[in-house]
PDB file of all heavy atoms in Angstrom:
ATOM      1  N   SER A 131      20.011   4.170 -13.764  1.00 95.00           N
ATOM      2  CA  SER A 131      21.072   3.616 -12.928  1.00 95.00           C
ATOM      3  C   SER A 131      21.255   2.128 -13.208  1.00 95.00           C
ATOM      4  O   SER A 131      20.287   1.371 -13.289  1.00 95.00           O
ATOM      5  CB  SER A 131      20.746   3.813 -11.446  1.00 95.00           C
ATOM      6  OG  SER A 131      21.685   3.124 -10.631  1.00 95.00           O
ATOM      7  N   ASN A 132      22.520   1.720 -13.354  1.00 95.00           N
ATOM      8  CA  ASN A 132      22.849   0.305 -13.541  1.00 95.00           C
ATOM      9  C   ASN A 132      23.875  -0.138 -12.496  1.00 95.00           C
ATOM     10  O   ASN A 132      24.722  -0.983 -12.756  1.00 95.00           O
ATOM     11  CB  ASN A 132      23.392   0.068 -14.950  1.00 95.00           C
ATOM     12  CG  ASN A 132      22.362   0.362 -16.013  1.00 95.00           C
ATOM     13  OD1 ASN A 132      21.265  -0.173 -15.987  1.00 95.00           O
ATOM     14  ND2 ASN A 132      22.698   1.235 -16.959  1.00 95.00           N
ATOM     15  N   MET A 133      23.784   0.453 -11.310  1.00 96.00           N
ATOM     16  CA  MET A 133      24.711   0.153 -10.226  1.00 96.00           C
ATOM     17  C   MET A 133      24.160  -0.991  -9.380  1.00 96.00           C
ATOM     18  O   MET A 133      23.054  -0.911  -8.849  1.00 96.00           O
ATOM     19  CB  MET A 133      24.931   1.390  -9.358  1.00 96.00           C
ATOM     20  CG  MET A 133      25.986   1.227  -8.281  1.00 96.00           C
ATOM     21  SD  MET A 133      26.231   2.756  -7.328  1.00 96.00           S
ATOM     22  CE  MET A 133      26.841   3.856  -8.602  1.00 96.00           C
ATOM     23  N   LEU A 134      24.930  -2.067  -9.276  1.00 97.00           N
ATOM     24  CA  LEU A 134      24.512  -3.243  -8.524  1.00 97.00           C
ATOM     25  C   LEU A 134      25.418  -3.457  -7.318  1.00 97.00           C
ATOM     26  O   LEU A 134      26.637  -3.400  -7.430  1.00 97.00           O
ATOM     27  CB  LEU A 134      24.557  -4.490  -9.408  1.00 97.00           C
ATOM     28  CG  LEU A 134      23.710  -4.476 -10.675  1.00 97.00           C
ATOM     29  CD1 LEU A 134      23.865  -5.787 -11.432  1.00 97.00           C
ATOM     30  CD2 LEU A 134      22.248  -4.216 -10.364  1.00 97.00           C
ATOM     31  N   LEU A 135      24.813  -3.719  -6.179  1.00 96.00           N
ATOM     32  CA  LEU A 135      25.551  -4.010  -4.955  1.00 96.00           C
ATOM     33  C   LEU A 135      25.892  -5.495  -4.976  1.00 96.00           C
ATOM     34  O   LEU A 135      25.116  -6.333  -4.524  1.00 96.00           O
ATOM     35  CB  LEU A 135      24.700  -3.656  -3.743  1.00 96.00           C
ATOM     36  CG  LEU A 135      25.400  -3.544  -2.395  1.00 96.00           C
ATOM     37  CD1 LEU A 135      26.452  -2.443  -2.426  1.00 96.00           C
ATOM     38  CD2 LEU A 135      24.387  -3.252  -1.298  1.00 96.00           C
ATOM     39  N   LEU A 136      27.068  -5.826  -5.531  1.00 97.00           N
ATOM     40  CA  LEU A 136      27.351  -7.224  -5.823  1.00 97.00           C
ATOM     41  C   LEU A 136      28.814  -7.610  -5.638  1.00 97.00           C
ATOM     42  O   LEU A 136      29.127  -8.792  -5.514  1.00 97.00           O
ATOM     43  CB  LEU A 136      26.918  -7.507  -7.269  1.00 97.00           C
ATOM     44  CG  LEU A 136      26.897  -8.944  -7.789  1.00 97.00           C
ATOM     45  CD1 LEU A 136      26.069  -9.847  -6.894  1.00 97.00           C
ATOM     46  CD2 LEU A 136      26.371  -8.980  -9.212  1.00 97.00           C
ATOM     47  N   ARG A 137      29.694  -6.627  -5.611  1.00 95.00           N
ATOM     48  CA  ARG A 137      31.125  -6.927  -5.606  1.00 95.00           C
ATOM     49  C   ARG A 137      31.540  -7.788  -4.415  1.00 95.00           C
ATOM     50  O   ARG A 137      32.360  -8.704  -4.555  1.00 95.00           O
ATOM     51  CB  ARG A 137      31.931  -5.620  -5.615  1.00 95.00           C
ATOM     52  CG  ARG A 137      33.442  -5.841  -5.676  1.00 95.00           C
ATOM     53  CD  ARG A 137      34.181  -4.511  -5.680  1.00 95.00           C
ATOM     54  NE  ARG A 137      33.870  -3.745  -6.883  1.00 95.00           N
ATOM     55  CZ  ARG A 137      34.169  -2.451  -7.027  1.00 95.00           C
ATOM     56  NH1 ARG A 137      34.737  -1.798  -6.042  1.00 95.00           N
ATOM     57  NH2 ARG A 137      33.875  -1.837  -8.151  1.00 95.00           N
ATOM     58  N   ASN A 138      30.980  -7.522  -3.246  1.00 96.00           N
ATOM     59  CA  ASN A 138      31.372  -8.273  -2.048  1.00 96.00           C
ATOM     60  C   ASN A 138      30.259  -9.176  -1.520  1.00 96.00           C
ATOM     61  O   ASN A 138      30.341  -9.670  -0.399  1.00 96.00           O
ATOM     62  CB  ASN A 138      31.808  -7.302  -0.947  1.00 96.00           C
ATOM     63  CG  ASN A 138      33.046  -6.522  -1.346  1.00 96.00           C
ATOM     64  OD1 ASN A 138      34.013  -7.094  -1.837  1.00 96.00           O
ATOM     65  ND2 ASN A 138      33.010  -5.200  -1.159  1.00 96.00           N
ATOM     66  N   ARG A 139      29.232  -9.392  -2.319  1.00 96.00           N
ATOM     67  CA  ARG A 139      28.129 -10.267  -1.914  1.00 96.00           C
ATOM     68  C   ARG A 139      28.386 -11.664  -2.474  1.00 96.00           C
ATOM     69  O   ARG A 139      28.194 -11.919  -3.662  1.00 96.00           O
ATOM     70  CB  ARG A 139      26.812  -9.704  -2.425  1.00 96.00           C
ATOM     71  CG  ARG A 139      26.534  -8.277  -1.936  1.00 96.00           C
ATOM     72  CD  ARG A 139      25.411  -8.265  -0.938  1.00 96.00           C
ATOM     73  NE  ARG A 139      25.321  -6.998  -0.231  1.00 96.00           N
ATOM     74  CZ  ARG A 139      24.194  -6.507   0.260  1.00 96.00           C
ATOM     75  NH1 ARG A 139      23.067  -7.173   0.097  1.00 96.00           N
ATOM     76  NH2 ARG A 139      24.195  -5.376   0.942  1.00 96.00           N
TER      77      ARG A 139
END
Side-chain angles (χ1 to χ4, degrees):
S131 172
N132 296 306
M133 186 178 296
L134 302 180
L135 195 61
L136 189 54
R137 183 180 296 167
N138 296 313
R139 302 250 167 151

